Amino acid sequence: MQKVWEHQKYEEKIYKFWEKSGYFTPKPKKGRKKFCIIMPPPNANADLHIGHARFITIQDILIRYHRMKGEDVLWLPGADHAGIETQFVFEKKLKEQGKSRFDFSREELYQLIWNYVQENKINMEKQIKSLGASCDWTREKFTLDTEIVKIVYKTFKRLYEDGLVYRGKRIVNYCPRCGTAYSQLETEPQERESTLFYLDYKTITIATTRPETIFADTAIAVNPKDKRYKKLIGKTATIPIIKRKIPIIADNLVDINFGTGALKITPGHDATDFEIGKKHNLPTILVIDKQGRMVNTPKQYLGLKAEEARIKVVLDLEKEGVVIKKEKIKHLVSICYKDKGLIEPLPEEQWFIKVEKLAKNALSAIKGKKVRFVSRKYEKMAMHWLSNLKDWNISRQIVWGIRIPAWFCKDCQKWTITEGETPVSCQFCYSKNIEQDKDTFDTWFSSGQWPYATLLARSGSKIKIPLSLKDKKRLIDFANFYPTSVMETGFDIIPFWVIRMIMLGLYATNNVPFREVLIHGLVRDKEGQKISKSKGNVINPLEMSYKYGTDALRTALIWGSKIENDISVSEENIKGQRNFANKLWNIARFIKITKANLNWGKEKPNPQTKEDSLIIKDLQKTIQKTTKQIEEYRLNEAINELYKFVWHKLADKYLESTKIKTEKGTKIRKPSISVLQEVFKNCLILLHPFMPFITEAVWRELNISKKPLIIERWPIIKEK
RNA sequence: GACCGCUUAGCUCAGUUGGCUAGAGCGUCUGACUUACAUUCAGAAGGCCGGGGGUUCGAGUCCCUCAGCGGUCACCA
């Protein structure tokens, strides 16, 4: 054995050995406990970052621990096509080459992105492997795999038949630059300073920040409780410039204290106004188109961008003398989460999921502890979201994704929904004049089905959704591993992903997709700052793994903070863990040099000195403690416990007490060897989930067993 | 504005049914060239556990309150 742990010589070989031997692939037996984690599929559009490394480590620790307990363990890896994200990244690349998506046909563009993603996927798999992830690559899934897509289609069709999917005209969050609508979740509020204009509508004065939309006004609303305006309800007001008369109506959505308490209603360009307009049967007028330019206005504004039009309109209003007051206010506007530009609320025909019922079922599953959140704060977050959800817009006007299996009949104006196959004709009037919707599904609609889709996909497509018990006999993976054990993921995607998996899982399978939810915090830098490229504090996990060893990186990623909390990681931390790995290596080396590794385990541990008894007692305590800590997901405490035991109790104290100096060199007291073997063997077992490479390497170097460590049994201490 | 969380050593953080002298890593300081390991060893300093009040035999831990920080949400035009 070399003087120091040289991880680079071992890691790749050991990983290949594990994978080739099939230890990552479960061979389920009846009656054995099952443990399953579906890996949150990383987006197949970039390198792994330190955050990925952390969650892969956490999941691998749990997986290895349960595997060593002798359970049937499945960790299913995957990759996400990540619709908008990926198309966005790809378009950026095109831009660098001086091209844009409009230079290609739909098919060409799809193929180009496909190739790009395939490349990334292979790269990503390599990176996950280098972190020691013991996931079952034979079951790897991609969100665009044929089998997965089939299941997504089926779910969509059934939702449609159940009346839970509808096509409706609603205000959507349209980004004129991205050329697509977004869901409620994909917009961000941003504080902006704007001018609030008080405009004279003859009978009443209103306040608005968007005077360019006055041409789309179809009413003025006041609060019914507002004494100032009671007499005016039912009368009319007059839009300046175009002099159109519009009714004054009452609606309690209007805030009495804002502006003048009178709100101009523009159903075409504002979500609240759209709602009010619907309630009062007001017409919808559009004055801004999808490119963000003015339409349906007096000639002088036509074709202008909305913000340019505003300046011109204000000038004209001032000329007319109807601007009563101007006031600077700070208010929140919606911006696109991708390009940070203004979102234009527009009424659009899109596919929506009615979420009320689904959310209600998800809520009661959480309340009934069918899904248990390990951390209470995140449970509250999920419940808060579920209680406030709006209908989910699942259409995206992009190419990269699963195309919606809906065909529009130009003759009878009805939609034919299929399970993916192209219909011969309209199912209502049999016209052949049909055309498929150009839109694709929101990525989260497919990843929301991930737990059951991945487990079912292996069994072929002859699956009915919802699944019946009869199906289960045939569907082995699904029967064995669903509901999965733990969903381990980041808090930022609780609303996008976690709650939707619960909703869709319950809907499609009548069962929750997972029993527990473990949410991890962010990786931060040494000072606790968020990691970002612009701050220049990026920690590259692959570089660190290469420099200090994967085991060191892994332990550093769970060291010191609770899983659910943010963690500070620095190169010094990783170095410190590298030192620990080296300490472990050198204990092994010492054992080998002194030939204390011969006949490993032949003799039962036979404590003779008080140090012998003490270390055996301490070992038992450590086993008990760490087992409990892992069970309760307190991985930081477990690794700290093991660190202290190995370094300070075993190496510093016990090992020193067994040394005898002879003329030929240092030896270990013979009667203590059996004790030392017992203790060290258990250290390797307990550390294996955290530091899989070095423990497996040492296990082999010392010839402890013919069986590899990865499938060695976790020790059980009987409680007294 | 609403909801949630945090405040413990110089720094980053543990401390889960309230109970030994409040811990870890890093950092700092003193000493050691001795060895399986200098990626080492022996030791030390450093804490009114944010402020105040309460419950209790006993509070870092439970309750109330104040302050500071952070997060999530929100239709205020």
Side-chain angles (χ1 to χ4, degrees):
Chain A
M1 288 172 86
Q2 322 84 327
K3 212 170 169 183
V4 293
W5 162 238
E6 291 172 27
H7 60 273
Q8 291 168 6
K9 282 192 185 161
Y10 293 84
E11 290 187 358
E12 208 183 325
K13 271 190 217 158
I14 291 176
Y15 191 90
K16 277 194 180 142
F17 162 73
W18 286 330
E19 195 186 0
K20 235 175 78 193
S21 311
Y23 298 130
F24 300 163
T25 303
K27 294 169 191 73
K29 270 205 183 130
K30 243 190 179 173
R32 227 165 22 201
K33 242 184 140 180
K34 308 286 183 278
F35 185 82
C36 175
I37 296 178
I38 306 289
M39 184 191 292
N43 296 349
N45 58 23
D47 276 340
L48 247 45
H49 57 67
I50 192 82
H52 290 118
R54 175 147 135 111
F55 83 65
I56 287 166
T57 299
I58 294 167
Q59 292 175 29
D60 194 45
I61 291 169
L62 299 175
I63 286 289
R64 285 179 186 269
Y65 164 72
H66 282 274
R67 186 183 292 122
M68 291 175 100
K69 278 180 58 178
E71 297 171 16
D72 293 325
V73 168
L74 171 61
W75 187 17
L76 194 149
D80 196 338
H81 71 280
I84 284 168
E85 295 284 340
T86 304
Q87 185 158 336
F88 196 79
V89 170
F90 190 77
E91 282 186 31
K92 240 175 155 175
K93 269 188 57 156
L94 283 180
K95 209 176 168 187
E96 281 163 22
Q97 300 163 12
K99 290 177 190 161
S100 92
R101 69 177 139 140
F102 303 108
D103 296 336
F104 306 95
S105 72
R106 183 183 183 114
E107 288 70 29
E108 283 168 349
L109 187 61
Y110 189 92
Q111 193 56 49
L112 282 173
I113 303 180
W114 179 273
N115 296 344
Y116 171 70
V117 164
Q118 289 309 312
E119 249 172 63
N120 270 301
K121 225 179 110 218
I122 292 164
N123 188 35
M124 198 185 72
E125 286 158 15
K126 239 201 233 158
Q127 297 177 349
I128 294 174
K129 286 179 182 183
S130 82
L131 291 168
S134 61
C135 46
D136 184 3
W137 293 104
T138 67
R139 282 176 168 81
E140 192 192 9
K141 289 285 169 301
F142 179 47
T143 44
L144 296 182
D145 284 349
T146 320
E147 298 303 317
I148 300 281
V149 172
K150 274 183 190 165
I151 290 165
V152 171
Y153 286 151
K154 275 173 206 269
T155 309
F156 178 71
K157 185 161 189 246
R158 184 173 160 243
L159 281 163
Y160 183 74
E161 283 162 358
D162 284 352
L164 292 172
V165 158
Y166 64 92
R167 182 143 179 109
K169 195 168 207 175
R170 303 270 310 267
I171 291 276
V172 297
N173 301 295
Y174 197 85
C175 174
R177 295 156 305 277
C178 298
T180 181
Y182 287 112
S183 80
Q184 169 200 0
L185 304 181
E186 284 146 338
T187 65
E188 294 169 6
Q190 193 187 62
E191 196 175 69
R192 290 228 173 146
E193 192 168 273
S194 302
T195 310
L196 184 64
F197 298 91
Y198 287 73
L199 303 179
D200 184 1
Y201 274 47
K202 292 247 169 97
T203 35
I204 200 162
T205 301
I206 58 101
T208 182
T209 54
R210 301 195 64 185
E212 73 277 15
T213 64
I214 59 171
F215 313 112
D217 291 354
T218 51
I220 301 294
V222 297
N223 195 297
K225 284 181 199 147
D226 196 333
K227 283 174 192 157
R228 294 172 292 178
Y229 301 123
K230 265 212 163 128
K231 283 184 212 156
L232 291 176
I233 296 167
K235 303 254 164 65
T236 59
T238 308
I239 302 174
I241 301 178
I242 54 172
K243 313 287 181 216
R244 190 170 70 230
K245 289 206 161 139
I246 50 174
I248 297 173
I249 60 172
D251 196 291
N252 47 24
L253 281 176
V254 180
D255 183 346
I256 297 178
N257 298 318
F258 187 88
T260 62
L263 171 65
K264 74 186 200 63
I265 302 300
T266 319
H269 297 289
D270 183 275
T272 311
D273 292 10
F274 187 82
E275 219 174 287
I276 296 175
K278 241 178 152 182
K279 241 193 285 180
H280 298 267
N281 282 319
L282 298 172
T284 299
I285 300 172
L286 281 182
V287 293
I288 302 169
D289 69 7
K290 280 193 187 172
Q291 280 73 45
R293 294 184 185 276
M294 304 304 289
V295 288
N296 300 325
T297 63
K299 269 185 199 158
Q300 63 267 39
Y301 314 119
L302 284 176
L304 292 177
K305 280 194 177 167
E307 290 185 25
E308 297 163 0
R310 180 178 307 166
I311 299 166
K312 222 167 170 190
V313 170
V314 169
L315 277 174
D316 292 343
L317 289 168
E318 278 174 338
K319 261 188 232 159
E320 207 176 304
V322 293
V323 180
I324 289 171
K325 195 165 96 179
K326 284 195 250 179
E327 193 179 284
K328 289 268 177 222
I329 57 157
K330 276 184 183 167
H331 69 147
L332 296 177
V333 294
S334 281
I335 59 165
C336 171
Y337 86 119
K338 284 274 64 162
D339 72 1
K340 311 287 175 196
L342 262 183
I343 285 286
E344 203 56 67
L346 286 175
E348 276 274 304
E349 284 257 337
Q350 311 238 328
W351 296 100
F352 289 89
I353 292 186
K354 273 189 202 167
V355 295
E356 199 189 335
K357 220 176 171 181
L358 301 175
K360 216 176 124 193
N361 290 341
L363 255 180
S364 53
I366 294 173
K367 279 183 191 154
K369 298 287 166 205
K370 296 229 166 72
V371 177
R372 183 187 151 258
F373 280 72
V374 173
S375 154
R376 201 174 152 63
K377 65 176 168 181
Y378 294 123
E379 177 181 291
K380 289 206 163 177
M381 199 170 151
M383 302 230 287
H384 178 87
W385 269 104
L386 282 166
S387 328
N388 294 292
L389 272 190
K390 288 183 179 169
D391 280 0
W392 174 13
N393 172 209
I394 52 169
S395 328
R396 294 292 179 276
Q397 293 72 53
I398 56 170
V399 165
W400 183 239
I402 302 172
R403 193 155 171 189
I404 298 174
W407 281 259
F408 184 69
C409 174
K410 287 176 186 163
D411 291 331
C412 74
Q413 310 280 305
K414 281 181 182 159
W415 288 93
T416 299
I417 310 287
T418 76
E419 289 186 359
E421 70 281 1
T422 306
V424 198
S425 61
C426 168
Q427 71 175 83
F428 300 98
C429 71
Y430 306 106
S431 158
K432 302 222 162 158
N433 195 9
I434 53 172
E435 192 179 24
Q436 185 173 8
D437 190 352
K438 288 199 170 55
D439 292 356
T440 49
F441 284 124
D442 178 6
T443 294
W444 300 104
F445 180 67
S446 50
S447 46
Q449 303 175 50
W450 201 233
Y452 65 85
T454 49
L455 291 174
L456 285 172
R458 200 163 168 252
S459 323
S461 60
K462 293 176 200 155
I463 301 149
K464 284 178 198 152
I465 291 176
L467 297 151
S468 73
L469 284 169
K470 275 183 202 162
D471 293 326
K472 276 194 181 172
K473 278 186 189 160
R474 217 179 53 231
L475 310 175
I476 310 287
D477 270 2
F478 184 82
N480 277 330
F481 295 110
Y482 194 91
T484 63
S485 312
V486 194
M487 174 45 63
E488 200 283 343
T489 191
F491 66 90
D492 49 333
I493 53 176
I494 289 174
F496 292 98
W497 198 41
V498 177
I499 63 171
R500 283 163 178 174
M501 280 191 286
I502 302 175
M503 291 195 293
L504 291 172
L506 280 168
Y507 172 76
T509 71
N510 294 320
N511 207 340
V512 293
F514 31 75
R515 300 195 190 286
E516 291 192 301
V517 180
L518 178 62
I519 300 288
H520 58 252
L522 254 42
V523 177
R524 292 171 179 271
D525 76 359
K526 205 176 160 185
E527 276 93 33
Q529 298 283 316
K530 243 187 184 170
I531 286 180
S532 72
K533 276 182 199 159
S534 54
K535 276 186 196 148
N537 58 356
V538 172
I539 306 169
N540 182 342
L542 305 164
E543 191 190 315
M544 290 295 121
S545 153
Y546 184 76
K547 207 164 161 188
Y548 298 108
T550 302
D551 295 323
L553 173 67
R554 286 168 61 117
T555 40
L557 284 170
I558 56 157
W559 184 269
S561 293
K562 290 203 285 190
I563 298 303
E564 69 203 67
N565 288 347
D566 291 355
I567 191 169
S568 279
V569 174
S570 66
E571 191 159 344
E572 285 88 83
N573 296 147
I574 302 168
K575 217 177 188 171
Q577 297 306 322
R578 188 269 320 260
N579 295 354
F580 176 54
N582 194 52
K583 174 56 77 172
L584 191 70
W585 179 257
N586 270 289
I587 297 172
R589 185 160 171 255
F590 183 57
I591 291 173
K592 195 163 184 184
I593 288 171
T594 56
K595 302 206 166 115
N597 67 319
L598 302 177
N599 300 315
W600 196 284
K602 284 269 156 64
E603 242 177 278
K604 277 203 170 165
N606 178 21
Q608 299 199 328
T609 64
K610 67 174 192 287
E611 284 88 359
D612 287 350
S613 318
L614 184 70
I615 196 79
I616 290 279
K617 228 172 121 188
D618 273 344
L619 172 70
Q620 304 213 324
K621 260 197 248 163
T622 304
I623 293 171
Q624 266 174 349
K625 258 186 160 171
T626 49
T627 304
K628 190 168 181 239
Q629 284 159 340
I630 297 173
E631 291 283 346
E632 292 171 1
Y633 304 111
R634 287 142 54 198
L635 304 183
N636 56 316
E637 289 177 49
I639 187 63
N640 194 253
E641 199 64 36
L642 291 168
Y643 182 100
K644 279 195 288 189
F645 180 75
V646 169
W647 199 321
H648 302 304
K649 286 183 177 159
L650 177 59
D652 290 349
K653 297 271 154 54
Y654 181 68
L655 214 54
E656 291 302 321
S657 81
T658 65
K659 280 184 183 174
I660 320 166
K661 306 246 172 180
T662 66
E663 283 167 8
K664 289 179 195 165
T666 308
K667 287 210 155 171
I668 293 173
R669 286 183 47 229
K670 231 190 183 148
S672 291
I673 288 181
S674 63
V675 173
L676 178 60
Q677 289 187 345
E678 170 73 6
V679 173
F680 191 61
K681 178 181 171 181
N682 277 290
C683 286
L684 292 176
I685 296 172
L686 296 175
L687 277 171
H688 182 259
F690 302 90
M691 314 181 91
F693 289 112
I694 188 170
T695 50
E696 187 76 80
V698 165
W699 188 264
R700 201 181 288 176
E701 287 286 349
L702 296 187
N703 255 324
I704 294 177
S705 162
K706 278 179 199 156
K707 260 194 344 190
L709 178 55
I710 185 174
I711 50 165
E712 181 65 30
R713 278 308 159 83
W714 192 262
I716 298 165
I717 301 292
K718 281 171 204 142
E719 303 236 5
K720 283 171 197 165

